Amino acid sequence: MLLERGPFAGSKNMYGGVVYPRILDQFHPNWWEEVPIQRWITRRSTMVLTATQAMTVDFRTQAWGEPPYNGATAYRPDFDHWLAGKAEADGAVLVTSTTALGLLRDEAGRIAGVRTDRPDGDIHADVVIACDGVNSFLAKEADLFGPGQTEAGNYTVGVKETIALPKDVIDERFGVRDREGVDIEILGGTGGVNGGGFLYTNLDTLAVGVVLKLPALGAQPRRPEEIIADLKAHAAIAPLVEGGTIVEYSAHLIPEAGRSMMPRLTTDGMLVAGDAAAMCLAAGIWLEGVNFAMASGIYAGEAAADALRAGDTSAAGLAGYERRLGDTFVLRDHEKLRRAPGLVLSDRVQHHYPQMIANVVERVFRVENPRPKPGFRRIVREERKRAGIGLRDLARDAWAGIRSFG
Amino acid sequence: MVLVSRRPEWPEISFEERIGTTRFDVHERAHIVVDGSVCTDCSTRECIVACPANLFVPTADGGIVFNYEQCFECGTCYLVCNREGAITWTYPEGGHGVVFART
Ligand SMILES: Cc1cc2nc3c(=O)[nH]c(=O)nc-3n(C[C@H](O)[C@H](O)[C@H](O)COP(=O)(O)OP(=O)(O)OC[C@H]3O[C@@H](n4cnc5c(N)ncnc54)[C@H](O)[C@@H]3O)c2cc1C
Ligand code: SF4
Ligand code: SF4
């Protein structure tokens, strides 16, 4: 049984966003023929912004525009609804408009189902899979988080505008055709709050938004919609979004701290998956969570089925879940990138390096004849000092970067 | 010609219009309750600037007025507020609250 508190699966869900559905290959070969996506990402840009400058690394490949594809923009209300339909076709019973209020326990204190807000709404189950998202009250009630893991500092809030523009205008502005799409990740551009920005192309809308660090957002004066307005007004962004109409405004939390905030994933009678277990990978150049949620959900389902067959749904009987996670990208990517979130949200990466890089590039390409071109090394040294970055910090961050991303 | 960067042009949009673009199927029970008596001696007031739906409104006498109706159910407010007991936070009744469409 699949419980969903919204009127349909996907109705409560918001993200950037780009989905990476390759995990579905094994269950639904040729999923791309029916998945309700907006555009296939064939162009990916990473943009570094300062108040008046922008430096973009822009990559394009036609390979991502044909099967088996790579990523696609999609509306979650469409995508999640479709995915839930797949689960139903495979025998799951989807019960919508039903909120799980808490856990049921048997005489021995083991988790034995959930209480819902329906009349006579107790649902008894041998295994509960808590995939109730970033706020997971089920994982909290089961006491699976360690001290400090659910502190505000481990979260960011994502706020976005869906902006309508005619398809041909989007095609022209972003240099794409047909179902080709663009993914722009933005470092800088969030004013005094550490975080980042994003701009994605849907068929006839753009998704423009910011991801803002908590609790810092609350300790400064700019509101989220003002920070988005500033980003949209940036000289590098304005020509892309100008003239569009806001057709939806939305917000959602992100568990940002990766591995360090993951709760215990298994307890007697319960598994925790997806954002409920902080499995979202938010590491600067990557922002992935839907694929982690789908994969962990698959592995939780398989482990639960094994445990039911073996007649042992204790934590020991459910151990196949973490074994599967550990063998696959779900925990491996998180292990590898466990230092990345802290590095990406540090002041140097957020403010000092973008300023330094942009100034270096500006000077390298500025022609000030009759003066000869200055040496590259000298420019870097001067701009590093101007941005207030010590050599030792630079070396330490470079090493941390290599260890985090290498 | 002098090239100055101009403020880009798009229609000014009030917060009411902005939040009006999103659908909310409001239930009569308030799923989030703010205890204004705890707020009166809060000097930091993170909720006011952080709530993306702008639902925490300061009053002249130092209190907070909160209206649950157009809420994203995101959780930002209970995370940024450090005062025990100020915010009682639950999800709305099944089938109610925010309904996203193109997110
Ligand atoms: C701004 C932003 C940008 C992002 N960009 C990307 C991106 O580009 N690509 C990407 O892959 N990921 C992205 N992510 C991350 C991604 O959205 C999440 O990692 C992903 O949604 C996690 O899926 P989930 O199923 O675990 O949780 P959710 O998507 O939150 O789903 C939880 C579900 O459980 C339901 N639910 C919750 N509580 C209850 C309850 N008590 N009873 C019944 N039902 C309940 C909810 O209604 C919801 O349907 C982004 C996130 C944000 C906020
Ligand atoms: S809700 Fe919390 S942060 Fe907001 S005013 Fe009240 S006590 Fe302060
Ligand atoms: S849950 Fe989010 S939208 Fe709702 S009141 Fe709290 S901060 Fe505002």
Side-chain angles (χ1 to χ4, degrees):
Chain A
M1 185 181 288
L2 195 55
L3 285 186
E4 168 56 53
R5 65 187 188 87
F8 60 90
S11 56
K12 299 287 183 185
N13 301 345
M14 171 275 195
Y15 77 145
V18 176
V19 289
Y20 298 93
R22 289 298 301 282
I23 187 74
L24 298 177
D25 287 2
Q26 42 181 319
F27 303 99
H28 304 291
N30 301 349
W31 49 265
W32 49 81
E33 286 166 8
E34 48 171 303
V35 63
I37 59 107
Q38 293 287 315
R39 291 176 187 253
W40 301 106
I41 299 299
T42 53
R43 184 175 167 201
R44 195 182 161 122
S45 304
T46 307
M47 196 182 258
V48 177
L49 291 188
T50 72
T52 56
Q53 300 154 305
M55 197 198 67
T56 308
V57 177
D58 187 29
F59 177 73
R60 188 192 283 260
T61 173
Q62 293 312 107
W64 292 349
E66 49 193 60
Y69 300 99
N70 184 44
T73 49
Y75 297 139
R76 292 292 297 280
D78 297 348
F79 183 84
D80 295 11
H81 178 69
W82 171 80
L83 196 61
K86 287 283 167 203
E88 280 186 288
D90 288 343
V93 177
L94 174 64
V95 182
T96 57
S97 298
T98 306
T99 304
L101 300 174
L103 297 168
L104 298 176
R105 292 180 183 269
D106 64 15
E107 311 79 63
R110 296 166 31 131
I111 293 167
V114 290
R115 189 160 36 86
T116 74
D117 63 353
R118 293 268 181 140
D120 302 317
D122 285 3
I123 298 172
H124 296 274
D126 292 321
V127 183
V128 172
I129 298 174
C131 48
D132 48 341
V134 57
N135 286 303
S136 188
F137 294 110
L138 297 180
K140 285 175 192 163
E141 185 184 334
D143 213 12
L144 299 179
F145 286 97
Q149 283 191 312
T150 55
E151 257 167 32
N154 283 342
Y155 299 85
T156 52
V157 59
V159 187
K160 103 172 173 181
E161 293 176 358
T162 307
I163 297 179
L165 276 172
K167 179 179 185 296
D168 54 333
V169 173
I170 294 178
D171 286 352
E172 214 164 282
R173 288 186 188 180
F174 290 84
V176 286
R177 299 264 179 277
D178 306 321
R179 298 302 284 260
E180 295 170 347
V182 182
D183 162 342
I184 306 180
E185 307 289 340
I186 302 164
L187 184 64
T190 50
V193 192
N194 291 2
F198 55 83
L199 172 52
Y200 302 119
T201 58
N202 296 311
L203 266 184
D204 55 5
T205 67
L206 301 175
V208 186
V210 290
V211 170
L212 304 167
K213 195 160 167 29
L214 301 182
L217 170 62
Q220 55 81 58
R222 302 287 289 167
R223 287 194 35 82
E225 73 278 5
E226 295 173 327
I227 298 174
I228 299 183
D230 292 344
L231 176 69
K232 282 164 55 182
H234 193 284
I237 305 292
L240 300 174
V241 299
E242 212 165 12
T245 323
I246 301 175
V247 291
E248 200 165 0
Y249 176 59
S250 55
H252 201 284
L253 287 180
I254 303 177
E256 186 81 25
R259 191 72 180 105
S260 69
M261 71 181 294
M262 275 189 201
R264 256 168 50 221
L265 302 174
T266 316
T267 184
D268 292 339
M270 186 164 103
L271 300 171
V272 192
D275 272 15
M279 285 173 183
C280 179
L281 184 72
I285 52 174
W286 291 290
L287 179 50
E288 299 174 24
V290 175
N291 46 338
F292 285 84
M294 288 191 288
S296 57
I298 291 167
Y299 302 139
E302 288 174 356
D306 286 351
L308 287 173
R309 263 192 301 272
D312 177 9
T313 56
S314 69
L318 291 165
Y321 178 48
E322 284 183 55
R323 201 168 50 242
R324 284 175 174 86
L325 296 176
D327 286 345
T328 57
F329 75 97
V330 180
L331 286 186
R332 284 199 182 172
D333 285 358
H334 272 288
E335 276 300 332
K336 196 185 313 171
L337 292 166
R338 67 188 181 283
R339 291 185 196 85
L343 184 64
V344 169
L345 287 179
S346 71
D347 281 341
R348 278 197 295 279
V349 172
Q350 289 275 320
H351 307 289
H352 304 161
Y353 293 135
Q355 190 59 65
M356 175 183 120
I357 293 167
N359 284 355
V360 166
V361 175
E362 184 165 326
R363 284 180 61 186
V364 166
F365 293 120
R366 179 187 287 153
V367 179
E368 282 183 309
N369 299 154
R371 251 211 250 161
K373 293 194 193 309
F376 191 72
R377 279 223 304 272
R378 196 183 100 206
I379 297 180
V380 172
R381 190 175 59 239
E382 285 172 5
E383 291 305 330
R384 175 179 62 72
K385 285 198 181 137
R386 189 135 71 111
I389 303 165
L391 253 188
R392 209 175 301 163
D393 292 332
L394 187 64
R396 199 183 310 132
D397 290 338
W399 176 236
I402 291 165
R403 281 204 305 174
S404 306
F405 293 101
Chain B
M1 186 183 108
V2 182
L3 186 65
V4 286
S5 62
R6 65 189 163 87
R7 188 84 186 172
E9 282 165 31
W10 41 68
E12 277 297 319
I13 174 170
S14 69
F15 200 88
E16 288 65 40
E17 288 172 279
R18 164 183 296 278
I19 200 92
T21 60
T22 308
R23 180 175 148 203
F24 299 91
D25 285 350
V26 181
H27 191 273
E28 74 235 19
R29 180 188 73 95
H31 63 286
I32 297 174
V33 178
V34 179
D35 181 349
S37 67
V38 181
C39 299
T40 42
D41 53 46
C42 168
S43 56
T44 48
R45 310 195 146 218
E46 288 85 352
C47 59
I48 298 174
V49 70
C51 168
N54 204 10
L55 295 177
F56 292 79
V57 181
T59 58
D61 60 349
I64 290 279
V65 197
F66 176 81
N67 185 321
Y68 70 97
E69 290 181 9
Q70 293 178 308
C71 164
F72 295 125
E73 302 150 34
C74 65
T76 301
C77 51
Y78 80 79
L79 279 177
V80 297
C81 170
N82 319 308
R83 305 263 155 154
E84 197 66 40
I87 300 178
T88 308
W89 204 101
T90 62
Y91 286 126
E93 263 64 13
H96 291 82
V98 69
V99 184
F100 289 130
R102 289 193 273 185
T103 52

